[in-house]
PDB file of all heavy atoms in Angstrom:
ATOM      1  N   THR A   7     -34.316  15.261 -23.816  1.00  0.00           N
ATOM      2  CA  THR A   7     -34.989  14.022 -24.198  1.00  0.00           C
ATOM      3  C   THR A   7     -34.628  13.624 -25.616  1.00  0.00           C
ATOM      4  O   THR A   7     -34.382  12.447 -25.909  1.00  0.00           O
ATOM      5  CB  THR A   7     -36.468  14.250 -24.122  1.00  0.00           C
ATOM      6  OG1 THR A   7     -36.818  14.637 -22.766  1.00  0.00           O
ATOM      7  CG2 THR A   7     -37.297  12.948 -24.447  1.00  0.00           C
ATOM      8  N   ALA A   8     -34.523  14.583 -26.509  1.00  0.00           N
ATOM      9  CA  ALA A   8     -34.064  14.356 -27.918  1.00  0.00           C
ATOM     10  C   ALA A   8     -32.700  13.811 -28.014  1.00  0.00           C
ATOM     11  O   ALA A   8     -32.379  12.859 -28.755  1.00  0.00           O
ATOM     12  CB  ALA A   8     -34.245  15.562 -28.793  1.00  0.00           C
ATOM     13  N   ILE A   9     -31.792  14.298 -27.183  1.00  0.00           N
ATOM     14  CA  ILE A   9     -30.431  13.753 -27.189  1.00  0.00           C
ATOM     15  C   ILE A   9     -30.326  12.329 -26.615  1.00  0.00           C
ATOM     16  O   ILE A   9     -29.652  11.497 -27.159  1.00  0.00           O
ATOM     17  CB  ILE A   9     -29.569  14.707 -26.313  1.00  0.00           C
ATOM     18  CG1 ILE A   9     -29.334  16.033 -26.907  1.00  0.00           C
ATOM     19  CG2 ILE A   9     -28.176  14.054 -26.023  1.00  0.00           C
ATOM     20  CD1 ILE A   9     -28.598  16.022 -28.273  1.00  0.00           C
ATOM     21  N   ILE A  10     -31.151  12.013 -25.620  1.00  0.00           N
ATOM     22  CA  ILE A  10     -31.218  10.727 -25.084  1.00  0.00           C
ATOM     23  C   ILE A  10     -31.762   9.703 -26.065  1.00  0.00           C
ATOM     24  O   ILE A  10     -31.218   8.642 -26.317  1.00  0.00           O
ATOM     25  CB  ILE A  10     -32.014  10.678 -23.751  1.00  0.00           C
ATOM     26  CG1 ILE A  10     -31.236  11.368 -22.660  1.00  0.00           C
ATOM     27  CG2 ILE A  10     -32.296   9.184 -23.351  1.00  0.00           C
ATOM     28  CD1 ILE A  10     -32.033  11.569 -21.418  1.00  0.00           C
ATOM     29  N   ILE A  11     -32.844  10.107 -26.778  1.00  0.00           N
ATOM     30  CA  ILE A  11     -33.398   9.226 -27.767  1.00  0.00           C
ATOM     31  C   ILE A  11     -32.357   9.038 -28.937  1.00  0.00           C
ATOM     32  O   ILE A  11     -32.229   7.860 -29.431  1.00  0.00           O
ATOM     33  CB  ILE A  11     -34.712   9.856 -28.380  1.00  0.00           C
ATOM     34  CG1 ILE A  11     -35.804   9.767 -27.240  1.00  0.00           C
ATOM     35  CG2 ILE A  11     -35.212   9.133 -29.569  1.00  0.00           C
ATOM     36  CD1 ILE A  11     -37.049  10.553 -27.546  1.00  0.00           C
ATOM     37  N   ALA A  12     -31.697  10.131 -29.294  1.00  0.00           N
ATOM     38  CA  ALA A  12     -30.619   9.891 -30.373  1.00  0.00           C
ATOM     39  C   ALA A  12     -29.508   8.957 -29.981  1.00  0.00           C
ATOM     40  O   ALA A  12     -29.062   8.165 -30.759  1.00  0.00           O
ATOM     41  CB  ALA A  12     -30.122  11.282 -30.689  1.00  0.00           C
ATOM     42  N   GLN A  13     -29.129   9.093 -28.653  1.00  0.00           N
ATOM     43  CA  GLN A  13     -28.112   8.193 -28.175  1.00  0.00           C
ATOM     44  C   GLN A  13     -28.589   6.748 -28.192  1.00  0.00           C
ATOM     45  O   GLN A  13     -27.798   5.800 -28.493  1.00  0.00           O
ATOM     46  CB  GLN A  13     -27.676   8.599 -26.807  1.00  0.00           C
ATOM     47  CG  GLN A  13     -26.785   9.839 -26.852  1.00  0.00           C
ATOM     48  CD  GLN A  13     -26.356  10.269 -25.442  1.00  0.00           C
ATOM     49  OE1 GLN A  13     -27.061  10.054 -24.495  1.00  0.00           O
ATOM     50  NE2 GLN A  13     -25.215  10.894 -25.401  1.00  0.00           N
ATOM     51  N   ILE A  14     -29.817   6.523 -27.825  1.00  0.00           N
ATOM     52  CA  ILE A  14     -30.380   5.146 -27.815  1.00  0.00           C
ATOM     53  C   ILE A  14     -30.339   4.555 -29.214  1.00  0.00           C
ATOM     54  O   ILE A  14     -29.856   3.469 -29.478  1.00  0.00           O
ATOM     55  CB  ILE A  14     -31.752   5.120 -27.126  1.00  0.00           C
ATOM     56  CG1 ILE A  14     -31.613   5.400 -25.662  1.00  0.00           C
ATOM     57  CG2 ILE A  14     -32.436   3.769 -27.436  1.00  0.00           C
ATOM     58  CD1 ILE A  14     -32.962   5.650 -24.985  1.00  0.00           C
TER      59      ILE A  14
END
Side-chain angles (χ1 to χ4, degrees):
T7 304
I9 292 294
I10 291 172
I11 291 170
Q13 286 178 330
I14 290 169

